[in-house]
Amino acid sequence: MTDAENMNEIDEPLGQVKSSRPWLILSLLLVVVAITVLSVISDEWRDNRSIKTVRVFGCNMLSKNVIADLVRDSVKYLQIKDIDISNLVKIVKQNSFVADVRFNPLFNGEFQVFITERVPVAVTVDMDGGLVFSDSYGSVFPFISDTVTFDYPVIRGVIGTERFISTAYLLNRILNENPEYSSIISEIMPGRGKETFDIITSDYGYRIIIDSKSDLGEQLAKYYTFLSSSICGNEKIKIEYIDLRWEKRLVIGKLA
């Protein structure tokens, strides 16, 4: 068999494959169009369904009934297309426990509400002298006594101020970046400088000073260095503060 004959035998099936490609592409396009049309028809059919029931998910501190009552009057017996979702988000977020919310209306007339609650990182004292929770953003919400005992640290400061919010943010950084030091924090509050913070320790009640600019782990590790020193626990030495901000140094302020 000559080389020319070999080439003819190879070229013929390749030509058949090429000729089938336009039909394959056309078939794929038809499938995409069909799916799109069905999706549009499905959405239109769903949007014309009316809401019969409300179901709430994601509540731990909150009662599901509280959220359902907030939502029900704005959705029940309405067609899905007539529900003002943006306004509904505002209504639900008025509840101080709610950090975020999303909705999922179903074909069967069920309106699903998915709640993301605020996560407490500390407690603080409001203007009336009562305890409230604070989350990592400095937002406060009602305190609920936890049956599973958890010793929340206390944030000191004026609720809603920039310094209070930055203190809550710093505390959350410690909890996430350096959780091994979280147990020594009894209270945390804004310090004298803008990026300076004071911590009252849970062991000996020392006031330690840190800042948010330097590495938190390196600063807090110095406190354990102090605990192993002869100064710690010496009743003759009255310590006013322990300053952890200085690189490779630990500054101790003594009372006269």
Side-chain angles (χ1 to χ4, degrees), residues 79-115:
Q79 290 183 334
I80 293 174
K81 65 181 180 181
D82 296 326
I83 296 173
D84 188 343
I85 295 294
S86 60
N87 184 59
L88 203 54
V89 169
K90 294 177 182 178
I91 291 173
V92 175
K93 281 192 172 184
Q94 286 177 358
N95 187 293
S96 55
F97 284 97
V98 178
D100 200 7
V101 60
R102 65 182 181 87
F103 306 104
N104 183 35
L106 301 180
F107 294 98
N108 63 359
E110 181 178 285
F111 192 81
Q112 295 183 335
V113 183
F114 295 91
I115 296 293

Side-chain angles (χ1 to χ4, degrees), residues 116-127:
T116 301
E117 293 181 332
R118 298 191 185 281
V119 178
V121 297
V123 294
T124 190
V125 181
D126 63 16
M127 293 181 64

Side-chain angles (χ1 to χ4, degrees), residues 144-156:
I144 295 178
S145 181
D146 197 345
T147 53
V148 179
T149 303
F150 184 87
D151 191 14
Y152 292 99
V154 176
I155 296 178
R156 299 291 184 188

Side-chain angles (χ1 to χ4, degrees), residues 92-253:
V92 175
K93 281 192 172 184
Q94 286 177 358
N95 187 293
S96 55
F97 284 97
V98 178
D100 200 7
V101 60
R102 65 182 181 87
F103 306 104
N104 183 35
L106 301 180
F107 294 98
N108 63 359
E110 181 178 285
F111 192 81
Q112 295 183 335
V113 183
F114 295 91
I115 296 293
T116 301
E117 293 181 332
R118 298 191 185 281
V119 178
V121 297
V123 294
T124 190
V125 181
D126 63 16
M127 293 181 64
D128 298 323
L131 284 179
V132 290
F133 276 131
S134 171
D135 67 9
S136 59
Y137 300 100
S139 296
V140 297
F141 50 104
F143 176 79
I144 295 178
S145 181
D146 197 345
T147 53
V148 179
T149 303
F150 184 87
D151 191 14
Y152 292 99
V154 176
I155 296 178
R156 299 291 184 188
V158 180
I159 294 172
T161 61
E162 182 180 346
R163 295 305 310 278
F164 183 90
I165 293 170
S166 62
T167 303
Y169 178 74
L170 181 78
L171 174 61
N172 190 59
R173 277 186 58 195
I174 295 173
L175 297 177
N176 286 296
E177 298 174 14
N178 309 99
E180 64 273 24
Y181 301 115
S182 60
S183 61
I184 68 171
I185 302 173
S186 174
E187 301 178 25
I188 185 168
M189 64 203 78
R192 293 180 181 178
K194 184 178 180 181
E195 297 178 332
T196 302
F197 301 86
D198 291 357
I199 292 174
I200 305 300
T201 64
S202 57
D203 45 17
Y204 295 101
Y206 290 122
R207 180 168 72 93
I208 61 178
I209 304 172
I210 62 173
D211 66 51
S212 58
K213 296 181 296 182
S214 306
D215 185 278
L216 294 174
E218 291 181 1
Q219 292 181 80
L220 292 169
K222 295 176 189 176
Y223 179 65
Y224 284 91
T225 301
F226 165 77
L227 291 180
S228 63
S229 70
S230 59
I231 299 176
C232 177
N234 190 332
E235 295 180 358
K236 295 181 180 180
I237 302 175
K238 303 300 180 183
I239 297 175
E240 182 181 6
Y241 63 84
I242 305 166
D243 195 337
L244 309 179
R245 294 174 293 171
W246 310 101
E247 185 178 359
K248 297 181 181 179
R249 283 190 297 167
L250 190 153
V251 179
I252 299 174

